[in-house]
Amino acid sequence: MVLTECPRDAWQGFHAFIPTADKVRYLNQLLQVGFDMIDFGSFVSPKVVAQVRDTAEIADALDMAGSGSCLLAIVANERGAREACAFRQITHVGYPFSVSETFQKLNTNAGIAASLQQVESIAAICQAAGKELVIYISMGFGNPYGDIWHPELVLQWIDRLSVFHVKIFSLADTVGVAREEDIRYLFTNLISSRPGIAFGAHFHSTPLNWKSKLEAAYQAGCRRFDGALLGYGGCPMAQDELVGNMATENLVAFAKERGELLSLDLTRLEAARSMFRELVAA
């Protein structure tokens, strides 16, 4: 299994600003745990998400020595992509592309048509800089706005985005509405018919439904999952404080039950959990 830890998603909605030095200490601890990737920050407008206004400063302060983790940063436009690609240590750039017109405007201040053009430009920027573009299909399992959604629509959009040589997609259950049958249908179809492209799951969930979602995706062949320690976070633009990220602790337990080998240092993982508890309690 490929695991991405998402501290950026965990803390981006915090109202009180977390000091940069505290974020750096926490991220440096995560870098020693053994996660495949760490979603550490965003190059987006600080007026919209103030918590990530120090992403550039953090990137310069991280200690990558001895870490096998890749760094991913989220962007919302070409400007953000250029900023992210200027950092040698950032290997992956993430862009949230929503199949919900309403949410795309809320999240990136642009509709789907304009966002499709953004993806083309961002893909070119990433390719020129030698970075890997990751497309997050937000509201990938439905939306609360009444916008049209069905599994085939998701498949169609992924095919349209694939022409920009995107090799990694992550289907995001942004407001925690994913049904098991839709999870199985989408991952089964995507993984079986689109070789050369990696598909992952970025689930938001409650403590009651996390396992059924993981099981449905796993049975359909998905082996890439995102999580956040203690299950904190979720998208602030979705305006649903009750739905957090998939707890990394649950992901690790799930993997262990199925005999999946994870190269995680559990002692350092527990130290990271303790550090994050202190951050959120401050």
Side-chain angles (χ1 to χ4, degrees), residues 62-192:
L62 293 179
D63 182 5
M64 303 297 296
S67 176
S69 300
C70 298
L71 285 184
L72 177 142
I74 298 295
V75 305
N77 50 39
E78 293 98 326
R79 176 195 57 76
R82 292 190 187 94
E83 289 185 47
C85 288
F87 290 88
R88 175 188 53 79
Q89 60 270 47
I90 296 174
T91 57
H92 291 70
V93 174
Y95 180 82
F97 184 94
S98 181
V99 294
S100 159
E101 178 77 9
T102 302
F103 187 68
Q104 190 66 43
K105 289 179 179 177
L106 286 171
N107 203 31
T108 65
N109 199 33
I112 291 178
S115 293
L116 187 63
Q117 295 177 339
Q118 292 267 27
V119 171
E120 183 175 12
S121 298
I122 291 170
I125 292 168
C126 289
Q127 186 174 12
K131 311 296 185 182
E132 191 76 47
L133 177 59
V134 180
I135 297 294
Y136 289 84
I137 303 296
S138 59
M139 297 292 174
F141 296 93
N143 64 81
Y145 311 114
D147 292 345
I148 294 174
W149 182 90
H150 51 82
E152 294 301 328
L153 180 66
V154 176
L155 299 178
Q156 291 165 16
W157 274 116
I158 287 175
D159 286 339
R160 289 191 66 179
L161 294 162
S162 297
V163 302
F164 303 123
H165 308 290
V166 180
K167 298 300 181 184
I168 304 176
F169 287 90
S170 187
L171 275 63
D173 184 19
T174 315
V175 287
V177 299
R179 301 184 306 169
E180 294 172 44
E181 56 265 39
D182 292 329
I183 293 171
R184 283 191 290 268
Y185 179 84
L186 282 169
F187 282 112
T188 297
N189 278 275
L190 289 168
I191 293 169
S192 65

Side-chain angles (χ1 to χ4, degrees), residues 210-211 215 252-260:
W210 66 269
K211 194 167 189 178
E215 189 67 60
V252 173
F254 182 88
K256 184 177 180 181
E257 287 178 3
R258 280 141 193 84
E260 292 281 349

Side-chain angles (χ1 to χ4, degrees), residues 256-268:
K256 184 177 180 181
E257 287 178 3
R258 280 141 193 84
E260 292 281 349
L261 296 178
L262 301 177
S263 57
L264 300 181
D265 186 319
L266 298 183
T267 300
R268 288 173 170 168

